[in-house]
Amino acid sequence: MSLLFSTTQLGKLTLDNRIVIAPMCQYSAEDGKASAWHRIHLGQLALSGAGLLIIEATAVEAAGRISPGDLGLWDDATEAALASVLQDIRHYSDTPIGIQLGHAGRKASCAAPWLGGNQLSLEQGGWQTVAPSAQAFNPEDRAPVALSKQDLERLKLAFVDSAQRAAKLGIQLIELHAAHGYLLHQFLSPLSNQREDEYGGSLENRLRFPLEVFHAVRSAVPDSVAVGVRLSATDWVDGGWDVEQSIVFSQQLEAAGSDYVHVSSGGLSPQQKITVGPGYQLPFARDIRKQVKIPVIGVGLITEPKQAEQALQVGDADLIALARAVLYDPRWPWHAAAELGAQAKAPPQYLRSEPHGLKGTLISNKK
């Protein structure tokens, strides 16, 4: 029996298998509103047979977008646009759908990657960024404005509002983005958090705002909605955020009622030095998993079905997330099921696509 294709739980949410499609920014929204691209992109991934599909990092306010093309969920217009996309997807797929809510902080106001990815000037349509401290990501960037305590209260309410909108849309899982150098990660890391109040300095203080946001969101949505956090286990910079601090954060999230943690790394500093290779982030997931009881999602250059299966078998993680690999091969779960002797869901319109000799690998996603 393949572990990758065994059922599991994230909170009260049951998943058919342990394949998670990780959030992947598409930079293709229109003033925060989901577009035809999202209907195509999310639609094909919802037919992949994965156990869970998490919608890309979605800004809780316009100033929290990484780029002008970022998805948002901060008002009735952005909610209505996403509702339309989800309605079409659900007509053809019963794959559980989550959403990652975030704020880019000092890494906001940037061009899309294929346009260079650099910070946009105000004349280019950029905007003033905010952060825990008035310290830019790149030396040549505009300095962000340090957030006041009143700003922090406003942002907590923005996260809550977006979470409630997501729950109203029937989204079954909410992931808070505390990774990749964005706002919540900026509070966690001593490299970006130079505050001298109760939100900076000690580890306890640096954890405070991300934990407050988590508590506020968890309290604001029904228990039936799973809530978890994506974190960067290390900044890959000496003196920065590291796996030991990530373990403390994960333990406090578990105590606060988090249903899982999703372990990535990096993104906070251009000084990072990352050694990249197959499964290069799985050791961090394993270290955290040893110290918590909630499920841990592992990610990072996991591209082959047997590699994913092995990671589960040896205890590196409880679920496996795919990002670039599933963009390259949106039918990855089908092919994994064939290789591992398991079954994956597919729309009935596609059942006859099974290769000769693999009859029964694909099962209908229509009950």
Side-chain angles (χ1 to χ4, degrees):
M1 176 69 182
S2 164
L3 263 183
L4 189 64
F5 284 91
S6 63
T7 60
T8 191
Q9 295 271 138
L10 294 177
K12 295 184 178 179
L13 178 62
T14 300
L15 307 182
D16 288 338
N17 60 57
R18 297 167 187 255
I19 303 170
V20 177
I21 298 181
M24 291 175 282
C25 290
Q26 298 298 295
Y27 309 102
S28 300
E30 299 163 1
D31 296 321
K33 297 187 288 291
S35 66
W37 176 257
H38 292 93
R39 184 172 273 100
I40 296 166
H41 166 69
L42 295 171
Q44 66 167 340
L45 295 181
L47 302 178
S48 70
L52 173 66
L53 166 60
I54 306 179
I55 298 169
E56 67 191 85
T58 301
V60 300
E61 66 170 6
R65 293 172 296 166
I66 304 164
S67 80
D70 275 32
L71 194 63
L73 188 56
W74 62 69
D75 61 11
D76 291 347
T78 51
E79 180 184 331
L82 187 55
S84 174
V85 168
L86 291 174
Q87 182 178 18
D88 282 351
I89 291 172
R90 290 187 176 119
H91 190 70
Y92 295 103
S93 171
D94 63 358
T95 298
I97 296 177
I99 192 168
Q100 186 183 72
L101 298 180
H103 192 294
R106 69 180 189 175
K107 290 182 75 175
S109 186
C110 292
W114 56 84
L115 298 175
N118 297 321
Q119 188 180 72
L120 296 168
S121 69
L122 302 180
E123 293 73 26
Q124 292 173 313
W127 56 90
Q128 179 59 56
T129 61
V130 297
S133 307
Q135 182 181 4
F137 177 72
N138 289 304
E140 63 271 20
D141 292 346
R142 291 186 308 281
V145 172
L147 291 159
S148 69
K149 292 181 183 178
Q150 290 77 16
D151 292 329
L152 299 187
E153 290 301 317
R154 177 183 59 79
L155 285 174
K156 271 190 284 188
L157 292 176
F159 272 95
V160 165
D161 177 68
S162 294
Q164 290 175 328
R165 291 178 184 276
K168 187 166 66 170
L169 291 173
I171 287 171
Q172 296 147 285
L173 174 145
I174 293 170
E175 180 169 283
L176 298 181
H177 199 356
H180 302 161
Y182 299 119
L183 184 65
L184 297 183
H185 185 183
Q186 291 162 29
F187 272 91
L188 294 171
S189 176
L191 300 178
S192 49
N193 186 342
Q194 303 294 317
R195 296 175 74 97
E196 296 181 352
D197 61 6
E198 66 267 36
Y199 291 99
S202 68
L203 176 59
E204 179 184 5
N205 284 358
R206 287 182 280 113
L207 294 178
R208 192 180 309 277
F209 184 63
L211 287 172
E212 285 182 358
V213 171
F214 178 84
H215 278 288
V217 168
R218 178 66 278 179
S219 299
V221 298
D223 289 345
S224 58
V225 177
V227 180
V229 174
R230 192 172 203 189
L231 58 89
S232 281
T234 176
D235 290 337
W236 297 95
V237 179
D238 289 342
W241 182 256
D242 56 27
V243 70
E244 289 77 17
Q245 295 172 87
S246 295
I247 288 170
V248 175
F249 184 36
S250 299
Q251 290 171 331
Q252 295 202 21
L253 287 169
E254 179 177 30
S258 184
D259 292 311
Y260 69 93
V261 289
H262 186 171
V263 181
S264 188
S265 71
L268 183 104
S269 169
Q271 305 303 315
Q272 65 186 18
K273 296 179 181 178
I274 304 178
T275 303
V276 176
Y280 71 105
Q281 294 175 150
L282 285 173
F284 303 130
R286 181 175 61 247
D287 289 346
I288 292 172
R289 186 173 181 264
K290 289 177 180 177
Q291 303 298 328
V292 298
K293 294 184 176 65
I294 55 176
V296 172
I297 302 175
V299 68
L301 271 183
I302 301 168
T303 58
E304 303 301 323
K306 289 180 180 176
Q307 177 194 12
E309 178 71 23
Q310 177 69 7
L312 296 179
Q313 293 284 354
V314 301
D316 287 342
D318 298 287
L319 301 94
I320 297 297
L322 305 173
R324 291 170 175 83
V326 83
L327 289 185
Y328 189 73
D329 178 8
R331 301 291 179 259
W332 193 98
W334 294 9
H335 303 149
E339 186 171 329
L340 298 174
Q343 290 183 315
K345 285 185 175 180
Q349 295 93 327
Y350 286 0
L351 291 178
R352 66 183 184 273
S353 71
E354 286 179 321
H356 181 71
L358 291 175
K359 190 68 175 173
T361 297
L362 300 183
I363 57 175
S364 177
N365 64 9
K366 293 290 186 182
K367 296 178 180 178

